[in-house]
Amino acid sequence: MNYLRLLLIALLLVGCKKKTFADEIVLTTNHKIKMKIQEFNEGIGEYGSSIIYIGKIQDSIPIKHYDSMFPPPPAPRPIGYIKTQKEISDSIIFNKMRDKYFHSEFDRLKFSDNPIKFDSLTNDLLEIVVKPNDTIPHFVIDSARNIKAYQSFPVFVKNISGKKLKMVVESFPGFAILNENKKWQIIRNNSFYICGDAMYKHKYWVFNPNEIIVYAVNYFHGNQKAHFKIGLTPTFFSEEFDGTIDPKIIKKQRDAYFIK
């Protein structure tokens, strides 16, 4: 009798689970590349955006990434420089390989002569769905121009505002962890020094109504259970979810930042 009661309660809990816009979206990949957990500070010299997709909701979305939303200009060549045949051949091979894993250039980037007033993101404007148990590859290109794949999970964001939103270029879903002092602390998987961009208020892209963004967010090393949130800004975060981490990563943070 007790068994039947527990079964009924379990079925009720499953039936009451909140449905989301992301439930029926399937992320697909045909690439059989070995995935690994990203080490602390491993991303030095690598490039590749965490963004898989921006656009209307689709039942199936292939896992490809933008290598950058705002690619840097090519390095200047010496006067009279001519590429060797090997350099040309290597470049063709690399571009073909890159096209398998990455989108073409991000085509929504806009510039403004005057500083932009970005929309303040809130739960009235965006809905975030985090799927921490769905492992997907996060493709990056390393300094030797090899393709690597980190183990990650998808984060889905939908514009539910009914209006066009002006978004910061290269917005990255940041982590917050509930630390041992019961404070929500911003946490990164590196201790890089990040330089500011004086022109960031002049660059933006438009997030249209009912469109979605799909991010790949890398797992942390470690087996210690913890509570996390994903944020698009320092003040706008998802609901908390469970994950694991090596507590040493928290101690290695370059600076300590907290959210309310």
Side-chain angles (χ1 to χ4, degrees):
M1 189 70 177
N2 289 336
Y3 174 78
L4 290 174
R5 182 179 296 175
L6 289 173
L7 181 60
L8 286 172
I9 292 173
L11 290 173
L12 283 172
L13 289 174
V14 172
C16 293
K17 183 180 178 182
K18 181 182 176 182
K19 292 186 177 295
T20 74
F21 71 88
D23 290 348
E24 304 302 322
I25 299 175
V26 177
L27 302 179
T28 64
T29 179
N30 295 322
H31 303 301
K32 296 182 179 180
I33 185 171
K34 186 176 180 180
M35 294 187 290
K36 64 176 299 248
I37 296 286
Q38 185 185 38
E39 303 281 350
F40 187 79
N41 274 347
E42 187 175 359
I44 296 176
E46 299 174 349
Y47 68 95
S49 167
S50 64
I51 297 177
I52 294 172
Y53 177 78
I54 298 176
K56 295 295 183 182
I57 292 179
Q58 298 181 7
D59 293 337
S60 178
I61 296 174
I63 298 176
K64 296 180 75 172
H65 292 76
Y66 291 99
D67 56 14
S68 175
M69 293 179 72
F70 188 62
R77 297 287 190 181
I79 296 175
Y81 174 83
I82 299 176
K83 281 188 176 182
T84 65
Q85 191 61 42
K86 183 178 184 306
E87 287 176 324
I88 294 173
S89 177
D90 289 347
S91 180
I92 292 172
I93 293 172
F94 172 73
N95 288 334
K96 286 183 178 179
M97 179 180 65
R98 182 179 60 185
D99 289 344
K100 293 181 181 180
Y101 299 91
F102 296 90
H103 296 291
S104 56
E105 185 176 340
F106 185 69
D107 60 0
R108 295 197 181 196
L109 187 64
K110 297 181 181 295
F111 296 87
S112 172
D113 293 333
N114 300 313
I116 289 296
K117 183 179 180 181
F118 299 108
D119 288 283
S120 298
L121 305 183
T122 65
N123 289 318
D124 294 327
L125 301 181
L126 300 179
E127 180 181 353
I128 301 182
V129 177
V130 181
K131 295 191 174 183
N133 298 317
D134 293 356
T135 301
I136 61 172
H138 177 192
F139 300 121
V140 298
I141 302 173
D142 68 15
S143 56
R145 304 216 301 182
N146 297 311
I147 305 294
K148 296 170 63 174
Y150 293 125
Q151 290 184 25
S152 67
F153 58 90
V155 174
F156 300 80
V157 180
K158 182 180 180 182
N159 180 355
I160 59 173
S161 69
K163 65 178 183 179
K164 295 183 177 181
L165 303 176
K166 290 183 178 178
M167 305 285 285
V168 178
V169 176
E170 286 285 17
S171 60
F172 178 79
F175 261 110
I177 186 172
L178 190 63
N179 65 21
E180 59 184 10
N181 297 319
K182 303 301 179 184
K183 292 184 178 180
W184 286 103
Q185 179 180 348
I186 302 295
I187 188 167
R188 299 162 57 206
N189 204 22
N190 61 68
S191 58
F192 304 165
Y193 180 79
I194 299 177
C195 298
D197 180 359
M199 292 298 294
Y200 88 94
K201 289 187 177 180
H202 295 260
K203 297 178 291 189
Y204 69 99
W205 64 277
V206 174
F207 192 16
N208 294 315
N210 294 316
E211 285 189 329
I212 64 170
I213 314 172
V214 183
Y215 294 95
V217 180
N218 295 346
Y219 290 112
F220 287 110
H221 259 294
N223 298 314
Q224 180 171 300
K225 293 182 179 180
H227 299 295
F228 296 96
K229 291 182 179 182
I230 294 292
L232 298 186
T233 72
T235 58
F236 179 61
F237 284 81
S238 70
E239 295 180 357
E240 66 180 78
F241 60 93
D242 295 330
T244 58
I245 193 172
D246 182 344
K248 292 179 182 178
I249 294 176
I250 304 174
K251 297 178 180 179
K252 290 179 180 179
Q253 296 300 294
R254 181 183 182 94
D255 298 293
Y257 298 103
F258 303 93
I259 64 173
K260 295 181 179 180

